[in-house]
Amino acid sequence: MSAAVVLPPHAIEIDTARMRRDRHAKLVDAMDQTGFDALVLGGTGNVNYAVGSTGMSSDVGRAFQEPTIAVVTRDGLHLFTPYPEGAPPELPADRIHDPLYPEFPEGVAALAGALRDVLGGGGITVGFDEMSAAAHALLPAAVPGLAVADASLALTPAKLYKTGDELECMRRAQYINEVAMYDVLEALRPGARQSDLSGILFRRIFELGAAANSIDPIWQVMPSAIADGPFTVHGDVAFPTNSTDRILREGETLFVDSGIVYEGYCSDFGRTWFTGERIPDAKERDRYSRWKDVIHRVLAITKPGTTGLELNRAAREGEDRKPWLDHFYLVHGLGTESAEMPFIGTDLGEEFDESIVLQPGMVMVLEPVIWDDGDGGYRSEDIVAVTDDGYRLLSSFPYVPFETGAVQW
Amino acid sequence: MVNLGTMALDEGGRIDFDRLRSDRRARVFAMMAEQGLDALILSRESNVRYATGAHRLWVAGTRPFGPGCVLVGETGAVHLMSTWDEGIPAEIPREHLFGMSWNPLILVERLQAIDGLASARRVGVDAMGPLWTQLLPLAAPEAAFVDGEGALRAVRMRKSADEVVCIRTAVAIAEASLSTAIDTIRPGVRERELAGAFAQRMTEFGLTAPAMQGVFCATDPDVGGRSSRLRRIPGDRAVDEGTLVAIAGGVLYAGYEGSVGRTQPCTGRGSRTVTHQQRELFERWSAVWTRIADVLHPGATGADLRAAYEASGEPLPGFPIALSVGVGVEAPIAGSKLGPEFDRQWTLGPGTVLEVQAYVAGVAGGYLGLETVLITDDGHEVLSTLTHGPLAS
């Protein structure tokens, strides 16, 4: 049978078993650093990272009721899943268990029993990424000696640096997302509805080999002035707002954002498009050019050793207005989550940005926004991986209609 | 007869969404009063949508605890985490919106500004995170944080007439989408392409987010019980001529889930050959369904559904046979690994909506069927009406 997945140019082979082994080794290192005896994970992105299993991609209202839960210990994994067919092939059968239902007291009792079986008795420190209300109320008493800790203290440092296998998964995810977007762009004509564009995207990503769509695709029609858009509590631009069956009109400016999943890894596609055949005017070209300048300034210093604060300052250099949205960031990371560490330019502040030091294997989504209130904005996203001596791009979609070919950064 | 179209809103013959939301909100506040909860802090998106009516960005899968909304008993106010008012019902005033933040301490300050929360003594939560165990007391220093999820689930499981119309609409759209996926089955089609066909048809009704990506899986012959379990995650597998393909999908209309599942043989163009063994599988499935349908009435429990399934002689499928649904899934009420005692606590009543599914396997492969069912005053109504296709005729 021919490969069902479309591959990017110069695709390198992925060894998924090695990728899972490497991730477990990193988690064990992080557990050693934090003194955790185990991690109990229910977050979809966290389970994808720790186990590499697949489950049913579903609405959050369903996902919590048929959860896949991973227990990570130093000597391996235990997977509690309603979808045993999604377990990695090397995981022994005695490590694949019936699903747990921690939303319910009876499920918490089962979870407690499983933890006692896996970890034994005595004082144990276990990192949790979240707890159901029932687990929060009942689990400590059901597992005597249990100290509940914050799993993110171990997950964050492990997830921060990607191996070559992980980077290739992300490049493929992004490639599938981008290839699908060519069909969407073709359909972006007056009279198309936002939901029509989502439909084309969904059909194509599955044809191209995506495992899942991870976010309601965004085709937001942008106003020229903030005051003409939705009310916001902070006075900045509202983004992203929901897609509906809104009918798109000639010449409207759209902020586009979408994400898919391949081998557990997320893509992140962001561009500014126009409905129909509109040619950008001088002001729009100027905004695009200023957006590029921000990217240039950031990429010029993107290499190991640079701090997040240095990137933040480079992006803002010479700008009257902070060139990103107030409720978001200049940079977010990407991996098994659509937004993970490193975050740069958030309301965590400058001290936090300064604590981020670029290292090889870090992945950054750059999402500057240029906004001229009263005249509109430009926003696109690009993904870079930090390398030993600089960076490489994981995204490659052209900046139509501002450029016709690829941009050499 | 309810018209399940999505237009003609000016005629008033549609769902009264203002009434739907105010009913839900009133029920949540009544529950808080009954349970002695001074405030409710909700994180799970389906709870937040139920209590506030907010349509926030859909993201697949679970996510960690965060204070998505705060309901305060004393003021009767609903406070919602949203940086903008798009997708937010008009009854939530702007001054009751608080912005998202990456900085938990800033979020704590925003919670501290909520009138009446600081003096709350009993606060219900629907989940908790390790960091928030330390931070929430900064916003409600006097409070004990207790399980609010169980009581809220009980509220959500009773559907109003308006809610049922939302679910009927979702089921109708799910059936249309499933029909398109069925029409896409042909020799050589890959399972994931069926998922794409389902999703694209869903968007023709203006919906852009599913309840679940769905089951689109070729079934394998079960010889000696070795392949009796249904594979439910679609992959790259190409479907062969003659194979039975199990498909089930769900969509969200105004947040409400509607799902349906059917099994179809993969046939070439113009070919409609159905084997005797395939028909036999459907007959076995039908026999399970008939037994379950007999107990789908007020007063029956999840344990009765489990017993009816088992009395058919077919093994349980390894996943719950009945889920209570509304704004998302509310509970696996029958057939889960938690056992019959767990199932016995769920008593069906008028207004309960269930997804009921059964799976049987044999040498011809397997048959999955999933129906959405409303419990009525004296029995039930099957909300899904899609044909079971050539195997049933």
Side-chain angles (χ1 to χ4, degrees):
Chain A
M1 196 179 81
S2 64
V5 173
V6 61
L7 295 177
H10 318 296
I12 58 165
E13 213 168 297
I14 296 170
D15 183 338
T16 52
R18 174 178 62 197
M19 178 167 77
R20 292 187 286 266
R21 264 197 321 274
D22 289 348
R23 291 188 307 213
H24 184 257
K26 282 198 273 186
L27 281 177
V28 170
D29 276 351
M31 286 161 63
D32 286 342
Q33 298 290 320
T34 49
F36 293 172
D37 298 297
L39 302 173
V40 175
L41 307 174
T44 301
N46 292 335
V47 175
N48 283 351
Y49 185 84
V51 186
S53 55
T54 45
M56 178 64 69
S57 175
S58 56
D59 174 57
V60 64
R62 178 175 270 268
F64 276 113
Q65 300 300 331
E66 33 176 46
T68 301
I69 292 174
V71 177
V72 184
T73 66
R74 285 187 172 70
D75 69 344
L77 302 164
H78 289 266
L79 180 64
F80 299 84
T81 179
Y83 297 97
E85 66 270 33
E90 73 275 12
L91 194 63
D94 65 355
R95 296 299 186 97
I96 304 168
H97 308 281
D98 286 335
L100 295 166
Y101 295 94
E103 297 300 302
F104 306 93
E106 298 85 345
V108 175
L111 171 62
L115 288 181
R116 287 192 301 264
D117 288 349
V118 171
L119 302 172
I124 44 171
T125 303
V126 178
F128 287 78
D129 56 354
E130 205 228 33
M131 274 194 175
S132 69
H136 177 249
L138 303 172
L139 194 64
V143 184
L146 173 71
V148 173
D150 184 351
S152 69
L153 299 174
L155 286 165
T156 301
K159 290 163 98 172
L160 193 53
Y161 309 106
K162 272 74 178 176
T163 64
D165 290 318
E166 293 180 274
L167 292 174
E168 182 64 11
C169 286
M170 296 174 71
R171 197 167 74 101
R172 291 187 188 184
Q174 186 68 17
Y175 188 70
I176 289 169
N177 199 157
E178 291 183 354
V179 170
M181 281 295 186
Y182 283 100
D183 280 28
V184 177
L185 187 54
E186 193 66 32
L188 178 53
R189 314 224 169 235
R193 297 174 302 169
Q194 290 174 323
S195 46
D196 296 333
L197 303 183
S198 302
I200 292 165
L201 181 73
F202 294 154
R203 178 177 51 78
R204 279 301 278 155
I205 62 167
F206 288 117
E207 284 173 359
L208 296 166
N213 176 64
S214 55
I215 177 173
D216 187 1
I218 293 147
W219 326 98
Q220 184 175 338
V221 178
M222 302 306 295
S224 300
I226 293 170
D228 295 337
F231 161 81
T232 56
V233 297
H234 58 0
D236 201 358
V237 180
F239 177 85
T241 60
N242 298 314
S243 294
T244 66
D245 59 353
R246 177 173 181 150
I247 301 162
L248 300 172
R249 314 287 304 278
E250 182 77 52
E252 283 175 339
T253 303
L254 268 59
F255 281 7
V256 173
D257 202 336
S258 95
I260 67 120
V261 180
Y262 174 81
E263 285 289 348
Y265 286 86
C266 297
S267 68
D268 192 353
F269 181 98
R271 285 292 182 267
T272 296
W273 287 346
F274 302 119
T275 308
E277 300 293 328
R278 187 151 78 78
I279 313 259
D281 64 24
K283 285 177 172 174
E284 284 160 342
R285 289 192 174 281
D286 175 61
R287 277 194 290 278
Y288 167 65
S289 162
R290 282 151 56 205
W291 178 88
K292 263 172 84 173
D293 290 345
V294 174
I295 299 281
H296 274 300
R297 291 199 298 272
V298 169
L299 290 183
I301 57 168
T302 295
K303 57 178 186 302
T306 300
T307 69
L309 186 57
E310 288 170 316
L311 295 184
N312 178 326
R313 287 184 175 152
R316 281 188 289 139
E317 196 182 303
E319 301 284 341
D320 299 332
R321 182 189 178 96
K322 183 172 72 178
W324 61 88
L325 298 178
D326 200 44
H327 53 278
F328 276 155
Y329 25 55
L330 168 67
V331 167
H332 67 83
L334 190 69
T336 60
E337 315 279 350
S338 56
E340 60 181 48
M341 277 288 281
F343 292 103
I344 299 170
T346 66
D347 60 1
L348 288 160
E350 292 203 338
E351 219 170 292
F352 181 83
D353 286 354
E354 192 160 28
S355 73
I356 292 165
V357 181
L358 301 193
Q359 295 296 336
M362 271 191 187
V363 173
M364 303 195 295
V365 180
L366 311 178
E367 52 175 288
V369 177
I370 302 294
W371 189 265
D372 295 333
D373 203 39
D375 205 57
Y378 185 87
R379 171 188 186 272
S380 280
E381 296 179 86
D382 276 299
I383 311 174
V384 296
V386 180
T387 59
D388 290 340
D389 55 358
Y391 62 88
R392 73 181 175 105
L393 280 160
L394 300 180
S395 51
S396 60
F397 199 85
Y399 302 89
V400 287
F402 296 94
E403 318 246 7
T404 48
V407 171
Q408 300 298 318
W409 288 107
Chain B
M1 284 290 279
V2 183
N3 179 337
L4 299 185
T6 53
M7 295 298 291
L9 302 168
D10 57 335
E11 294 166 16
R14 298 282 174 213
I15 301 155
D16 183 340
F17 283 107
D18 290 337
R19 182 177 63 197
L20 177 144
R21 290 194 309 274
S22 69
D23 280 355
R24 292 194 313 212
R25 210 165 45 244
R27 280 188 267 166
V28 175
F29 276 107
M31 177 278 284
M32 289 169 62
E34 279 163 31
Q35 301 284 321
L37 297 174
D38 301 318
L40 198 54
I41 300 180
L42 302 176
S43 159
R44 300 287 168 80
E45 197 60 24
S46 38
N47 286 336
V48 174
R49 185 151 193 181
Y50 185 90
T52 71
H55 175 195
R56 302 191 298 187
L57 181 65
W58 184 94
V59 181
T62 62
R63 69 191 83 151
F65 178 86
C69 72
V70 181
L71 281 68
V72 181
E74 185 190 338
T75 61
V78 172
H79 300 261
L80 177 71
M81 190 205 287
S82 181
T83 305
W84 43 83
D85 66 356
E86 179 132 331
I88 310 305
E91 65 268 16
I92 301 177
R94 291 174 173 182
E95 55 272 24
H96 287 177
L97 300 179
F98 58 99
M100 59 182 283
S101 170
W102 303 92
N103 188 336
L105 294 174
I106 291 178
L107 274 179
V108 166
E109 284 172 19
R110 290 174 185 165
L111 295 180
Q112 285 169 336
I114 290 174
D115 200 19
L117 185 57
S119 58
R121 304 195 68 89
R122 244 171 88 80
V123 174
V125 293
D126 62 349
M128 190 57 103
L131 181 65
W132 285 101
T133 309
Q134 295 159 40
L135 295 181
L136 280 186
L138 301 176
E142 307 292 315
F145 294 93
V146 302
D147 181 352
E149 171 73 9
L152 185 56
R153 182 186 300 115
V155 170
R156 287 173 49 192
M157 286 173 80
R158 296 197 312 268
K159 306 292 181 301
S160 69
D162 290 325
E163 292 184 280
V164 172
V165 180
C166 290
I167 294 169
R168 285 180 194 276
T169 309
V171 169
I173 295 171
E175 288 180 335
S177 307
L178 205 82
S179 296
T180 297
I182 287 170
D183 291 345
T184 309
I185 299 173
R186 64 187 184 284
V189 74
R190 293 192 308 272
E191 291 175 345
R192 278 182 187 147
E193 292 181 71
L194 303 178
F198 180 96
Q200 184 170 27
R201 185 72 197 279
M202 170 190 80
T203 64
E204 291 180 10
F205 299 90
L207 310 187
T208 56
M212 58 171 162
Q213 201 161 283
V215 177
F216 302 93
C217 293
T219 66
D220 292 313
D222 174 39
V223 182
R226 273 178 302 186
S227 298
S228 59
R229 182 153 187 154
L230 173 66
R231 190 171 52 89
R232 291 187 291 162
I233 309 292
D236 291 335
R237 176 163 163 182
V239 180
D240 292 329
E241 169 110 39
T243 301
L244 287 180
V245 187
I247 51 178
V251 309
L252 300 174
Y253 177 71
Y256 286 88
E257 171 159 344
S259 296
V260 63
R262 297 288 184 262
T263 299
Q264 292 281 313
C266 174
T267 52
R269 194 182 180 90
S271 151
R272 284 286 177 273
T273 324
V274 174
T275 67
H276 172 67
Q277 286 162 326
Q278 289 175 338
R279 271 188 218 284
E280 215 170 61
L281 275 178
F282 175 74
E283 282 161 20
R284 280 170 55 201
W285 179 88
S286 204
V288 180
W289 170 254
T290 304
R291 284 182 183 269
I292 296 175
D294 277 348
V295 290
L296 287 171
H297 52 69
T301 70
D304 296 328
L305 300 187
R306 178 191 285 256
Y309 198 114
E310 289 177 326
S312 72
E314 301 289 350
L316 288 169
F319 44 80
I321 59 167
L323 302 169
S324 171
V325 295
V327 181
V329 175
E330 294 150 351
I333 69 145
S336 77
K337 297 292 181 181
L338 292 174
E341 282 314 304
F342 176 79
D343 296 353
R344 204 177 309 281
Q345 71 184 291
W346 310 104
T347 302
L348 308 186
T352 307
V353 178
L354 303 177
E355 283 173 22
V356 181
Q357 55 186 338
Y359 180 72
V360 298
V363 290
Y367 194 95
L368 171 74
L370 183 157
E371 309 283 14
T372 298
V373 178
L374 168 69
I375 304 299
T376 58
D377 288 340
D378 54 0
H380 70 269
E381 180 192 351
V382 184
L383 302 183
S384 39
T385 58
L386 190 67
T387 171
H388 283 263
L391 269 61
S393 57

